[in-house]
Amino acid sequence: SQQGEEDPQALSIQEGENATMNCSYKTSINNLQWYRQNSGRGLVHLILIRSNEREKHSGRLRVTLDTSKKSSSLLITASRAADTASYFCATDAWNKLVFGAGTILRVKS
Amino acid sequence: GAVVSQHPSRVICKSGTSVKIECRSLDFQATTMFWYRQFPKQSLMLMATSNEGSKATYEQGVEKDKFLINHASLTLSTLTVTSAHPEDSSFYICSARPGELANTGELFFGEGSRLTVL
């Protein structure tokens, strides 16, 4: 299975702090994507990084990709209570997305 | 962004009955839609890829006779859970990718359907 692994499984931080989540995967990919899921809801796309890119920014989000280590990280800076959600990485290969286990982020106000 | 609508959001049924879940792309055409299943506090598991006008492609371990997928138009895919059992209770989520964004990889997700089989 190509399903990625994410760590930590759960992360609890104070508002204003930065949150870092990591994702590892097993096979070659076209791109890697990060999604957010609020409890009991669908997923929202956050950011996509292609296999030939190493870093990408979007607002308070920073994603890195290391294809040699088959790993990616998602950094959320200056976290807010509204960032509380589950975050999933997903690897895109052979035209389908395979999701990692996810990190549950809780931002305390 | 593109909008995907999923219906119903919640459904409760008796064991042995069949349940149909609809997934519609509201403002774009989707030749491909994806059906995922999610257990509580777990990740999404890809069940099948729904292809407009042709048979769905099922992932290993997913019973095609149990989970019937029909993609009859460029904006609608349906998942029918046949002869439902309590172990089929789960959160089912569909997603679609606009045809013109086929190479970008971004998926747009429905809000999910929570199935409870009594």
Side-chain angles (χ1 to χ4, degrees), chain B residues 22-92:
Chain B
E22 292 186 348
C23 179
R24 294 181 185 275
S25 57
L26 296 187
D27 52 0
F28 65 96
Q29 293 185 333
T31 55
T32 303
M33 292 184 175
F34 303 90
W35 286 95
Y36 290 86
R37 181 175 181 174
Q38 185 179 32
F39 290 104
K41 298 184 190 280
Q42 294 190 27
S43 186
L44 283 74
M45 297 299 295
L46 179 63
M47 299 174 64
T49 301
S50 172
N51 304 299
E52 188 269 335
S54 64
K55 293 181 179 179
T57 304
Y58 289 81
E59 294 300 302
Q60 191 173 10
V62 178
E63 300 176 58
K64 56 184 68 176
D65 294 332
K66 173 75 171 174
F67 299 100
L68 298 179
I69 290 173
N70 184 276
H71 194 152
S73 77
L74 287 171
T75 58
L76 174 64
S77 175
T78 60
L79 168 68
T80 301
V81 182
T82 62
S83 187
H85 290 107
E87 57 265 32
D88 298 326
S89 298
S90 190
F91 193 55
Y92 294 88

Side-chain angles (χ1 to χ4, degrees), chain A residues 5-22:
Chain A
E5 297 179 359
E6 292 180 62
D7 75 271
Q9 291 185 334
L11 180 61
S12 183
I13 59 175
Q14 289 293 135
E15 203 166 28
E17 294 180 339
N18 295 341
T20 299
M21 290 160 267
N22 303 296

Side-chain angles (χ1 to χ4, degrees), chain A residues 33 41 48 95-97 100, chain B residues 36 43 59 97 104-105 111:
Chain A
Q33 303 176 38
R41 305 291 297 275
L48 179 153
N95 202 34
K96 60 185 181 184
L97 283 189
Chain B
Y36 290 86
S43 186
E59 294 300 302
R97 180 179 286 160
T104 71
E111 285 295 300

Side-chain angles (χ1 to χ4, degrees), chain A residues 24-92:
Chain A
S24 62
Y25 56 94
K26 297 177 183 177
T27 65
S28 298
I29 59 172
N30 295 324
N31 62 67
L32 186 143
Q33 303 176 38
W34 285 89
Y35 287 82
R36 166 196 168 126
Q37 182 182 35
N38 284 22
S39 180
R41 305 291 297 275
L43 277 72
V44 175
H45 180 265
L46 295 177
I47 196 166
L48 179 153
I49 185 166
R50 301 191 187 284
S51 59
N52 60 353
E53 296 176 311
R54 292 295 167 259
E55 187 172 313
K56 202 162 183 179
H57 297 254
S58 177
R60 292 185 295 114
L61 305 180
R62 173 179 170 249
V63 168
T64 64
L65 178 64
D66 187 335
T67 51
S68 66
K69 295 181 180 178
K70 291 187 168 58
S71 68
S72 173
S73 68
L74 171 67
L75 168 67
I76 303 175
T77 60
S79 64
R80 305 166 183 168
D83 294 330
T84 295
S86 293
Y87 292 83
F88 295 92
C89 70
T91 49
D92 189 350

